[in-house]
Amino acid sequence: MKVWIKYLIGTLLGIAAAFILPRNIPAVDSAVATLSEIAIRFGRYALIPLLFFGTTMAMFNLRSKKHIMKTSMWTAGTILGSTLILLALGLISILIVSLPRIPISGEKPSEIPAIDIKQMVLSIFPFSGFDSLKDGVYLLPVFFLAAFVGGACASDTNDSKPVLSFIDSAMKVCQTMSTFFVEWLSVGMIAISCYWMLQIRLVFESETYYPIFFMLLSDFIIVAGIVYPLVLRLLCKDLRPYHVLYASIGPIISGFFTGDSNISLLTTFRHNKESLGIHDETNNFTLPLFSIFARGGTALVTSICFVTIFRSYTPLGFTFLDVCWIFGVAFITSFALGNFPVGGTFVSLTVICSMYGRGFESGYLLLRPAMPLLCSFSAAFDVLSAITGTYIVAVKTKKIDKIELKHYI
């Protein structure tokens, strides 16, 4: 059975369970939340070992073959391009379609999350390199350590042969282990989707957030069905662009219901390799960078949310400078969300509201009840961008093998 079918079945069972379970019983809610947390930890369990050994071998191979510059340039360009496309689409859609106002709440702001750039930079270089492997949330320190190890091995291949042999074997073991976790996460999707549905049931029942839900759904359909296939057709001369979308179904399902850009990485690694035929050296180098930096989906959702908040507070329209400001801040902020794989939309929205000022500092409270749903869409956009972007880089660097659709996992 295909992986995405297993994930879909698990998701449907979880949603059905959310309607069957008794409501407003703390013990039931706590049990479901605990099971969901266990499933998410299960999904992340093998990520750091695979990321470390995979990136180390990828860096070694890319540097040895002198492909590191070309791969890096295409990766950086694709990340920037995907972020610009998604953010532009989000702003255009919300400026063209005026959503209904959201009632102003009297809720007072509590502790406001913030982006600490200094701490993020310091985290990349902890006092001990081994500390980079301890944090399973912020992936950039692990990536840097692996890149340094791989680069060092490439500088002296004779002395590093024993180390490379061990790292290559460890990578293959981790890939085998990740296959187990990817398959069994379909069972965990029952608890994850059940908890997700319990969280957003009240959101759907209030009907206040229906318009923003349908706008995000429409934007996702446009991106997945029109924009990205068109980009693949133009950039890669690909006559089967929808095969990439088909390979993305499983990772999108896991990303959407967890709202976690990290948990879908294991599934994405496997689909990129076994469905799209992307070589390990590109898959293990480019995909982590997309997961960390390519948060264009988060920028899209944030821009739509901020414009909705603005219109809910005042009937005044936006000037061209306001639109440019929103675009610039959302664009820059999206690259600083690497240590927020979950809840990045909320963090980005609070930052933009605080920076804009003029009485909008607590405007994010209007959308806080719907934040699980908003983060789900952000993760779905980001996962799709990561797979599509990695595919583009693989095609442009000739690191891909054609696999028939019937052999997709």
Side-chain angles (χ1 to χ4, degrees):
M1 186 182 292
K2 303 291 185 183
V3 172
W4 72 268
I5 297 178
K6 295 178 183 179
Y7 280 32
L8 182 61
I9 292 174
T11 299
L12 294 176
L13 290 175
I15 292 175
F19 287 96
I20 296 173
L21 292 174
R23 301 182 60 180
N24 301 322
I25 298 180
V28 174
D29 295 341
S30 176
V32 173
T34 301
L35 291 174
S36 176
E37 179 68 19
I38 292 173
I40 290 174
R41 288 172 180 263
F42 180 86
R44 283 185 176 183
Y45 191 74
L47 176 59
I48 297 301
L50 177 61
L51 179 62
F52 175 75
F53 293 117
T55 303
T56 300
M57 286 305 301
M59 178 60 72
F60 169 77
N61 290 322
L62 290 173
R63 188 175 175 188
S64 299
K65 299 174 184 177
K66 302 187 185 305
H67 293 163
I68 184 65
M69 184 58 67
K70 184 177 182 180
T71 303
S72 298
M73 294 298 292
W74 272 108
T75 300
T78 310
I79 288 174
L80 290 172
S82 64
T83 304
L84 288 171
I85 289 173
L86 292 178
L87 181 54
L89 175 64
L91 273 175
I92 290 172
S93 61
I94 190 61
L95 292 176
I96 292 177
V97 180
S98 182
L99 299 182
R101 292 178 65 253
I102 297 176
I104 307 298
S105 67
E107 184 180 357
K108 298 296 182 182
S110 53
E111 184 178 355
I112 301 176
I115 298 176
D116 191 342
I117 300 296
K118 177 183 176 181
Q119 185 58 43
M120 289 176 64
V121 174
L122 292 176
S123 298
I124 298 174
F125 303 103
F127 289 108
S128 169
F130 291 107
D131 288 341
S132 303
L133 305 175
K134 293 170 59 177
D135 189 356
V137 176
Y138 191 26
L139 303 182
L140 193 56
V142 184
F143 183 88
F144 261 82
L145 177 62
F148 281 127
V149 174
C153 291
S155 65
D156 191 343
T157 55
N158 289 327
D159 290 341
S160 60
K161 282 182 180 179
V163 176
L164 286 171
S165 178
F166 165 74
I167 292 175
D168 186 47
S169 298
M171 180 190 73
K172 292 175 181 177
V173 170
C174 288
Q175 288 176 338
T176 303
M177 183 173 64
S178 69
T179 300
F180 169 81
F181 285 98
V182 168
E183 293 289 341
W184 281 96
L185 183 60
S186 59
V187 179
M189 289 302 300
I190 299 175
I192 291 171
S193 58
C194 180
Y195 180 62
W196 180 86
M197 195 65 210
L198 290 176
Q199 283 185 300
I200 67 164
R201 246 176 113 172
L202 293 176
V203 176
F204 282 124
E205 289 175 355
S206 69
E207 300 184 2
T208 301
Y209 303 102
Y210 272 14
I212 197 169
F213 166 76
F214 286 118
M215 172 167 283
L216 291 175
L217 180 61
S218 300
D219 283 347
F220 185 80
I221 293 172
I222 291 171
V223 170
I226 301 175
V227 176
Y228 278 174
L230 184 60
V231 169
L232 291 174
R233 189 68 183 269
L234 294 175
L235 276 181
C236 304
K237 310 300 180 184
D238 197 335
L239 299 179
R240 50 170 202 167
Y242 289 100
H243 286 203
V244 178
L245 176 61
Y246 178 71
S248 306
I249 295 176
I252 288 173
I253 291 175
S254 63
F256 182 84
F257 286 98
T258 60
D260 189 334
S261 61
N262 282 358
I263 195 174
S264 60
L265 264 181
L266 278 183
T267 312
T268 307
F269 272 127
R270 190 177 170 204
H271 278 77
N272 279 352
K273 178 180 174 137
E274 299 182 37
S275 295
L276 297 177
I278 298 174
H279 295 182
D280 281 339
E281 57 199 81
T282 299
N283 195 24
N284 293 331
F285 177 82
T286 299
L287 183 58
L289 292 176
F290 265 92
S291 180
I292 296 167
F293 294 112
R295 306 293 290 274
T298 302
L300 178 151
V301 176
T302 301
S303 63
I304 290 177
C305 290
F306 182 76
V307 174
T308 303
I309 290 169
F310 184 92
R311 287 173 173 168
S312 298
Y313 273 95
T314 174
L316 299 177
F318 284 100
T319 65
F320 177 74
L321 290 178
D322 288 330
V323 175
C324 291
W325 184 88
I326 296 171
F327 187 95
V329 175
F331 180 78
I332 294 172
T333 303
S334 69
F335 297 106
L337 298 174
N339 60 337
F340 295 102
V342 181
T345 305
F346 183 66
V347 175
S348 180
L349 186 60
T350 57
V351 169
I352 291 180
C353 288
S354 299
M355 292 180 65
Y356 191 77
R358 309 178 198 179
F360 291 91
E361 291 84 354
S362 60
Y364 64 90
L365 295 173
L366 270 65
L367 292 173
R368 184 154 71 174
M371 203 49 64
L373 182 63
L374 300 176
C375 290
S376 292
F377 274 105
S378 297
F381 277 110
D382 292 338
V383 169
L384 179 61
S385 296
I387 296 179
T388 306
T390 307
Y391 181 82
I392 292 172
V393 175
V395 170
K396 288 301 181 180
T397 56
K398 297 181 173 59
K399 301 293 182 184
I400 191 169
D401 298 316
K402 184 177 179 180
I403 297 178
E404 296 298 327
L405 185 63
K406 63 182 178 181
H407 297 306
Y408 282 26
I409 62 172

